[in-house]
Amino acid sequence: MPLVSIITPSYNSSKFLLQTYNSIKSQTHENWEWLVTDDCSTDSTMEILQEIAINDFRVRIASNSKNSGAAVARNNSLVRAKGDFIAFVDSDDMWDCDKLRKQISFMENCGINFSFTAFRLLNENGHSLNKNIDINNNDSFDYNDMLRKKATIGCSTVVLRRCAFEEISMPLIRTGQDYALWLKLLRQNHRAYLLPEALTSYRIVSNSISRNKFKKAKRQWEIYRKIERLSLLRSLECFAYYSIRAVLR
């Protein structure tokens, strides 16, 4: 079994953190390390993480020196990763027990470097919203596809083959850093391959900064213009695709 480094940022995650850990602990692919960087939580998150780490040697925790956002927290964990594969899961999401086994097998059998899966939506209390994302897609996606948001690529579904990329780090923006990373990797002539099976449960948390639609649209535009440095015309074209898909989804 190849070693999988699982990357998680945490901030005031005490309500959901144990559920996330238990979903990792139950993986049928057992060769993993969980690298969690806390972003100066003010609740009991660190105490919970320390208790988990005492009882599971595969869990390695760290903390940011000041509250800096999820990108800095993830990058703190990425530089400590030792795995053959890099996986991401947020501190309020959960994996099915076969998630890693199926996804690593999919990548190994097909020679894939970048994969993601479909995912299901839950409300804050963990109840199903009866909605699966990317379940009907069955394709791979390049840089131009993802500029137009032809797939969602949920962060907690992604697995990367570490040796295929010169450098894996998230751009230092407060939101949308995962999408900006996917673009950065796909720009290097890679493709993202979808395993069209919902293997991750994504929790919709009411106070999450990623749920504000106006801020999400503003962030999307800034990624086009400031990070990808697209022309105004190209940015308008891609933003039109993004807007249409956001409404239809």
Side-chain angles (χ1 to χ4, degrees):
M1 283 189 179
L3 176 64
V4 180
S5 295
I6 303 166
I7 308 299
T8 299
S10 64
Y11 177 70
N12 289 351
S13 306
S14 59
K15 185 176 179 181
F16 309 117
L17 194 57
L18 276 174
Q19 294 176 58
T20 301
Y21 167 67
N22 285 331
S23 79
I24 296 171
K25 185 181 178 182
S26 69
Q27 290 300 300
T28 52
H29 182 107
E30 297 179 340
N31 191 21
W32 50 261
E33 58 175 3
W34 190 31
L35 305 172
V36 188
T37 298
D38 186 68
D39 196 25
C40 301
S41 291
T42 57
D43 64 358
S44 59
T45 294
M46 276 301 291
E47 288 82 357
I48 294 171
L49 286 171
Q50 288 165 350
E51 182 68 24
I52 291 171
I54 287 172
N55 294 292
D56 193 333
F57 71 93
R58 298 170 294 182
V59 179
R60 298 161 56 200
I61 60 176
S63 58
N64 290 335
S65 58
K66 61 180 181 179
N67 182 268
S68 305
V72 173
R74 289 190 181 106
N75 289 344
N76 186 320
S77 292
L78 282 165
V79 298
R80 298 182 291 120
K82 299 177 180 178
D84 305 292
F85 291 88
I86 302 290
F88 299 88
V89 65
D90 286 344
S91 57
D92 51 3
D93 295 339
M94 293 172 289
W95 286 344
D96 291 7
C97 64
D98 277 342
K99 194 263 189 190
L100 285 182
R101 182 187 64 80
K102 288 183 176 180
Q103 197 165 356
I104 297 298
S105 176
F106 171 62
M107 296 177 73
E108 294 278 59
N109 291 340
C110 301
I112 290 170
N113 296 325
F114 182 152
S115 76
F116 65 106
T117 77
F119 59 96
R120 66 186 69 84
L121 298 181
L122 307 179
N123 68 14
E124 191 164 350
N125 296 318
H127 300 136
S128 173
L129 295 176
N130 297 315
K131 190 168 187 178
N132 291 334
I133 306 299
D134 285 333
I135 197 71
N136 294 318
N137 270 332
N138 188 10
D139 207 347
S140 64
F141 303 87
D142 64 12
Y143 174 71
N144 288 313
D145 292 330
M146 287 314 303
L147 283 176
R148 294 171 170 82
K149 294 286 281 187
K150 287 189 175 182
T152 302
I153 308 191
C155 186
S156 294
T157 77
V158 169
V159 175
L160 305 172
R161 189 186 302 270
R162 187 180 173 200
C163 68
F165 304 97
E166 291 184 9
E167 186 260 351
I168 302 173
S169 66
M170 293 202 166
L172 300 181
I173 53 179
R174 277 283 181 171
T175 62
Q177 63 278 151
D178 51 342
Y179 173 63
L181 173 59
W182 315 148
L183 290 177
K184 181 173 75 170
L185 300 179
L186 295 174
R187 204 188 310 125
Q188 303 167 22
N189 294 319
H190 288 282
R191 298 185 71 89
Y193 290 80
L194 170 63
L195 177 59
E197 184 176 350
L199 299 173
T200 297
S201 296
Y202 178 88
R203 196 187 304 265
I204 305 296
V205 179
S206 56
N207 63 350
S208 169
I209 58 176
S210 65
R211 301 311 304 163
N212 185 299
K213 292 184 178 180
F214 175 78
K215 289 182 178 179
K216 286 179 71 174
K218 183 173 182 286
R219 173 206 70 193
Q220 189 77 14
W221 181 257
E222 289 173 346
I223 289 174
Y224 289 150
R225 296 290 283 155
K226 295 181 179 180
I227 297 180
E228 296 306 305
R229 300 186 181 278
L230 302 183
S231 68
L232 178 59
L233 185 61
R234 184 88 188 282
S235 297
L236 287 169
E237 175 200 350
C238 292
F239 192 80
Y241 277 100
Y242 159 78
S243 301
I244 292 168
R245 293 180 190 282
V247 170
L248 292 177
R249 196 185 79 174

